[in-house]
C-alpha cells in the first residue's frame, strides 16, 4: 500500500476490518516513500496512489511517478495484482480523467494493472481488493499455506530440471517466474494422469 499521505493508514485499516469480518485475513504493509518500495519483493497485491509525491496540480506529472515505478516492478514481477487509485479522478466522470488513450494502452497492455479506481469511493476500493484476493493463483495460495503450516521444515519439490525448495517455488509463483510455469504444467499433468480412468 503505497501512498505519500500517512493518514491513508486509517482508511485502509477500516477496509482491513471489513475483510477480517468476512474471514479474509490480510497483512498490509504501508509505505509513504517510493524509495521504500522494493521492486524485487513478491507482494500479492500492490495498491498504488498514482498521484504520488505531491504532484497534485500538474496533470502531466500526475501519474508519471506511479507509471515509472510500476514499469520497473513489472520487469521483475509479472503476476502481482496492481490497483491504481487516486482522489484526483473518478472514472464515472470521463472529462476529469488525466489519462490519455496511450496511458490506457500502457495500463492494459504494458503495466497489466488489475483495476483503476477513484480513492474516495471506499466501497469500490474494498470490492476491488476483495476481488484481487479472490483471483489470486490457487497454487500460489496453497503453497503459501504450506509455508505457514510447515514452517521450519525443509520441503523440496522434484521438478524435471531438479529440486526446488518450497519457499523458492513460492517466490517464483509470486514473481511470475518460468520455474513456476514449469511446475504448474508438471502438476497438472500429474493430476490429470492420476484422475484419469483408463479402460481396456
Amino acid at each position: 500500500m503505497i501512498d505519500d499521505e500517512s493518514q491513508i493508514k486509517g482508511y485502509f485499516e477500516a477496509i482491513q476490518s471489513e475483510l477480517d469480518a468476512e474471514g479474509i485475513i490480510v497483512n498490509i504493509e504501508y509505505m509513504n516513500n517510493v524509495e521504500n518500495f522494493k521492486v524485487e519483493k513478491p507482494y500479492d497485491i500492490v495498491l498504488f496512489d498514482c498521484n504520488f509525491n505531491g504532484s497534485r496540480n500538474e496533470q502531466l506529472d500526475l501519474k508519471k511517478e506511479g507509471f515509472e515505478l510500476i514499469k520497473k516492478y513489472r520487469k521483475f514481477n509479472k503476476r502481482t495484482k496492481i490497483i491504481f487509485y487516486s482522489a484526483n479522478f473518478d472514472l464515472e466522470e470521463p472529462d476529469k480523467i488525466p489519462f490519455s488513450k496511450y496511458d490506457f494502452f500502457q495500463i492494459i497492455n504494458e503495466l497489466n494493472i488489475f483495476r483503476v479506481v477513484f480513492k474516495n469511493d471506499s466501497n469500490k476500493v474494498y470490492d476491488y481488493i476483495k476481488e484481487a484476493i479472490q483471483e489470486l493463483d490457487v497454487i500460489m495460495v496453497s503453497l503459501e499455506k504450506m509455508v505457514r503450516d510447515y514452517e521450519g521444515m525443509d520441503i523440496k519439490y522434484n521438478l524435471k530440471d531438479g529440486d526446488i525448495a518450497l519457499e523458492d517455488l513460492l517466490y517464483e509463483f509470486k514473481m511470475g517466474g518460468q520455474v513456476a510455469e514449469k511446475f504448474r504444467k508438471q502438476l497438472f499433468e500429474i493430476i490429470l494422469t492420476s484422475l484419469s480412468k483408463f479402460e481396456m
Side-chain angles (χ1 to χ4, degrees):
M1 171 58 255
I2 308 172
D3 196 308
D4 56 345
E5 294 180 9
S6 55
Q7 66 268 29
I8 199 68
K9 192 171 179 182
Y11 176 89
F12 281 100
E13 281 174 349
I15 290 175
Q16 186 174 10
S17 294
E18 287 183 50
L19 290 168
D20 286 350
E22 287 197 48
I24 303 170
I25 310 304
V26 296
N27 294 318
I28 301 179
E29 210 175 293
Y30 296 94
M31 286 170 237
N32 301 113
N33 187 332
V34 172
E35 301 304 316
N36 295 337
F37 184 66
K38 295 178 174 60
V39 294
E40 71 282 358
K41 188 165 179 180
Y43 299 99
D44 293 322
I45 301 164
V46 175
L47 288 102
F48 199 91
D49 183 0
C50 72
N51 183 18
F52 205 86
N53 219 18
S55 56
R56 306 217 173 276
N57 299 315
E58 301 173 35
Q59 285 210 346
L60 290 175
D61 295 328
L62 184 64
K63 74 282 175 189
K64 185 177 178 186
E65 185 121 27
F67 273 33
E68 292 308 312
L69 186 60
I70 298 307
K71 274 187 199 175
K72 201 172 172 185
Y73 190 58
R74 281 297 186 221
K75 287 179 184 173
F76 288 88
N77 184 308
K78 306 293 182 196
R79 285 224 173 252
T80 292
K81 294 191 180 303
I82 296 172
I83 298 173
F84 240 180
Y85 69 89
S86 178
N88 286 60
F89 64 79
D90 184 350
L91 295 179
E92 303 297 321
E93 298 183 46
D95 295 342
K96 296 182 181 176
I97 298 172
F99 297 128
S100 68
K101 288 179 183 175
Y102 178 70
D103 292 334
F104 278 112
F105 174 83
Q106 280 191 298
I107 285 169
I108 294 165
N109 295 311
E110 292 179 28
L111 304 182
N112 191 21
I113 303 294
F114 180 70
R115 294 286 181 266
V116 178
V117 66
F118 182 42
K119 180 161 71 173
N120 295 357
D121 187 346
S122 60
N123 290 330
K124 196 160 272 188
V125 173
Y126 168 80
D127 288 343
Y128 287 167
I129 293 172
K130 186 177 171 185
E131 190 179 329
I133 291 167
Q134 289 169 338
E135 289 189 21
L136 289 173
D137 186 293
V138 67
I139 299 173
M140 183 188 79
V141 171
S142 299
L143 291 172
E144 207 158 36
K145 184 178 184 307
M146 286 191 72
V147 167
R148 287 193 308 271
D149 292 349
Y150 301 104
E151 188 177 357
M153 292 183 70
D154 185 24
I155 300 173
K156 289 188 171 59
Y157 288 92
N158 181 269
L159 300 178
K160 291 173 183 171
D161 300 337
D163 290 350
I164 185 168
L166 172 59
E167 289 83 1
D168 295 336
L169 182 58
L170 177 59
Y171 180 85
E172 283 285 316
F173 264 92
K174 287 180 177 255
M175 299 301 276
Q178 289 183 348
V179 173
E181 293 314 306
K182 286 180 184 175
F183 178 83
R184 183 191 309 280
K185 184 178 177 189
Q186 190 173 324
L187 180 64
F188 284 136
E189 285 173 0
I190 291 166
I191 291 169
L192 288 172
T193 301
S194 66
L195 292 177
S196 298
K197 290 184 177 180
F198 296 98
E199 295 180 6
M200 299 298 286

